[in-house]
Amino acid sequence: MTRIIMLAAALAVLAASQASAQCRCTSQLQAHLRGSNSDRARQTGAAAENRQEQTERIIAAIRAGAGQTSAYIQRQGALIEKVSDASDLNQAIGRREDMRAGAEGGRYDPAVSNCLGYGSAAVMARGPTEAGPGEPPLPPTGADTQNEARNYARCAGGNSEVCEGTGAVVNGIIDDRDQLRNVGGVFDPTSDLRVLLQQPTAGAGTGADPDELGEAIWRLHQNIVDPVPAPPVTRAEAELPAGRAEIARRQSESARRSAAATLLGWIQTRSAAHLPLGDWARRTAPDGYPYPIDDRISVRQYYDVAVAASWRDPDWQAALPGMAPEAVMREVAAQLALGNDLALLQFELDLHRAAVDAVIASALLDQE
C-alpha cells in the first residue's frame, strides 16, 4: 500500500514536472512565432519598399529617356527643317540664276516688232480719223472725189461748167492745170498719176494745202474717168423718147465708168494722210528711209514703214539670229499678222480689179 502511494506520488510529481516543462516550451514557441512574424513583416515591408523604389526609379528612367528622345526628335525635326529650307533656298537661287542667265541671253526679250510699237500703231491704222482742233482738214477720200465728180456731171455742188457747155469744161481743165501746178510735188498733178503713186502718202513733205491737193486729185480723176461730160438732159428732153433713151444710155455709161472711178478712189483713200502716226513712223523707220514723213501718214505709208523696219532694215536682220527662240516665235507671229493684214488689202484690191475686168469684158462684147 505504501508502495502504491509512493508510486502515485511519484507519478504525480512526474506529471507536474512534465506539465511545467510543457508550459515552458509553449512560451518559447510563441516567442519564436512572434519573432518570425515580425521578421516576415519587416522583410515584406522592406521588399515592398524596395519594389516601390525600383518602380519609381524605372518610371523616372523611362520619363528621362522619353524626354531625351523627344528633345532629340525635336532637334532632328528642326535640323531637317533647316536643311529643307536651305535646299529650297538653293533651288530658288538656282532657278533665279537660270532665269537671269536666260534674260541676259535674250530669252525674255520682246520681239523687235513689239519694240517698234506695231500693236499701238495698228489700232490707229484702222481707218481715217477726224482732224483735231487747230489741225488742218483731212484730205478727201476716194468716195469724196467720186461724189464730187457725180455732182460735177449734174451741175450740182456750185460748179456749173458742164451746164455751160463744152467750152466752159475745157476752160476749167486748163485753168486747173495752170493754178494747181506743182501741188503735191508733181509738175502737173491734174494729169500725172505720180501725185498718188510716187510715194506712200500723197503730197508728203511738200507742204501742200489739203484743199488744193484734193482739188488736183479730183481734176486728175475727172480727166481720166470722164473729162468732158455731156450736159444733163433737160426736163423737156426727158419727156421725149430720144431723151429717155439718152438718160438710159448715160446710166449704163456711168455704171461702167464707176468701176475705174472706184479703183482710183481706193488708191486715193489709202494714199491720203489720215493717220496721226507721224511720230511713230519717224521713230520706227530705219536710217535711210527714202520717203518724207509728215505728222499724218497714209495707210500705205504705215505698211511701208512697218516693212522697212523689218525685212529691209539691216539692224533687224542682224538682231534676228541673236534672239532667243521664244522671241523669234513672237517676231514670227507679229510678221504673220502683218502679212495677213496686207493679204486682206490685196484681196480688196483684187476685187476692184475684178470689177474693172468685168467692165472691160462687157465693153468688148458691145464691139462684136
Side-chain angles (χ1 to χ4, degrees), residues 2-318:
T2 304
R3 289 180 179 178
I4 294 171
I5 294 172
M6 289 178 64
L7 181 58
L11 289 173
V13 171
L14 179 60
S17 60
Q18 289 179 349
S20 176
Q22 186 176 4
C23 291
R24 287 193 301 269
C25 182
T26 299
S27 62
Q28 290 177 357
L29 290 175
Q30 289 178 351
H32 177 71
L33 179 59
R34 285 194 300 270
S36 297
N37 290 338
S38 176
D39 291 338
R40 281 197 302 274
R42 285 196 301 271
Q43 292 176 358
T44 301
E49 290 179 359
N50 188 33
R51 286 194 300 271
Q52 182 67 29
E53 182 179 356
Q54 294 297 329
T55 301
E56 291 178 355
R57 289 179 179 177
I58 292 173
I59 293 174
I62 293 174
R63 288 177 177 176
Q68 185 176 6
T69 302
S70 298
Y72 172 76
I73 293 174
Q74 291 177 356
R75 288 194 298 272
Q76 187 177 19
L79 179 60
I80 293 174
E81 184 177 357
K82 290 180 180 179
V83 171
S84 178
D85 292 342
S87 177
D88 293 342
L89 180 60
N90 290 334
Q91 292 179 1
I93 293 174
R95 288 195 296 268
R96 184 171 59 190
E97 292 299 326
D98 291 341
M99 294 176 65
R100 178 182 296 175
E104 292 175 353
R107 182 181 182 89
Y108 306 106
D109 290 350
V112 176
S113 299
N114 292 342
C115 295
L116 297 178
Y118 283 179
S120 60
V123 174
M124 299 300 297
R126 293 179 178 177
T129 58
E130 298 294 335
E135 294 182 344
L138 298 180
T141 64
D144 296 331
T145 298
Q146 282 185 266
N147 293 334
E148 186 178 355
R150 289 182 67 87
N151 291 337
Y152 176 74
R154 298 175 182 181
C155 299
N159 193 333
S160 59
E161 288 178 358
V162 174
C163 290
E164 294 173 7
T166 302
V169 173
V170 171
N171 291 334
I173 292 174
I174 297 173
D175 290 343
D176 283 347
R177 181 200 65 182
D178 296 338
Q179 294 175 7
L180 299 172
R181 199 176 300 278
N182 294 320
V183 171
V186 179
F187 179 72
D188 182 12
T190 65
S191 64
D192 194 341
L193 271 171
R194 286 181 297 176
V195 72
L196 287 176
L197 300 178
Q198 73 176 353
Q199 62 181 20
T201 300
T206 65
D209 180 81
D211 292 334
E212 290 185 349
L213 182 62
E215 188 66 20
I217 294 175
W218 170 80
R219 181 59 76 174
L220 172 67
H221 172 280
Q222 194 64 38
N223 287 339
I224 294 173
V225 177
D226 191 8
V228 186
V233 176
T234 63
R235 290 185 179 181
E237 293 172 341
E239 294 177 357
L240 301 175
R244 295 179 65 82
E246 179 63 15
I247 292 174
R249 186 193 69 80
R250 292 188 182 184
Q251 284 295 107
S252 176
E253 182 179 353
S254 296
R256 291 179 174 181
R257 291 180 186 275
S258 69
T262 301
L263 183 55
L264 285 174
W266 190 90
I267 298 172
Q268 178 185 350
T269 298
R270 283 148 188 82
S271 301
H274 288 156
L275 306 178
L277 294 174
D279 291 339
W280 169 83
R282 284 187 287 269
R283 184 177 64 253
T284 303
D287 295 337
Y289 182 73
Y291 302 113
I293 301 174
D294 290 340
D295 290 338
R296 286 183 175 271
I297 65 174
S298 67
V299 173
R300 284 177 54 202
Q301 191 160 28
Y302 163 74
Y303 289 112
D304 189 78
V305 170
V307 175
S310 54
W311 174 253
R312 297 201 302 262
D313 185 7
D315 293 337
W316 182 86
Q317 296 283 357

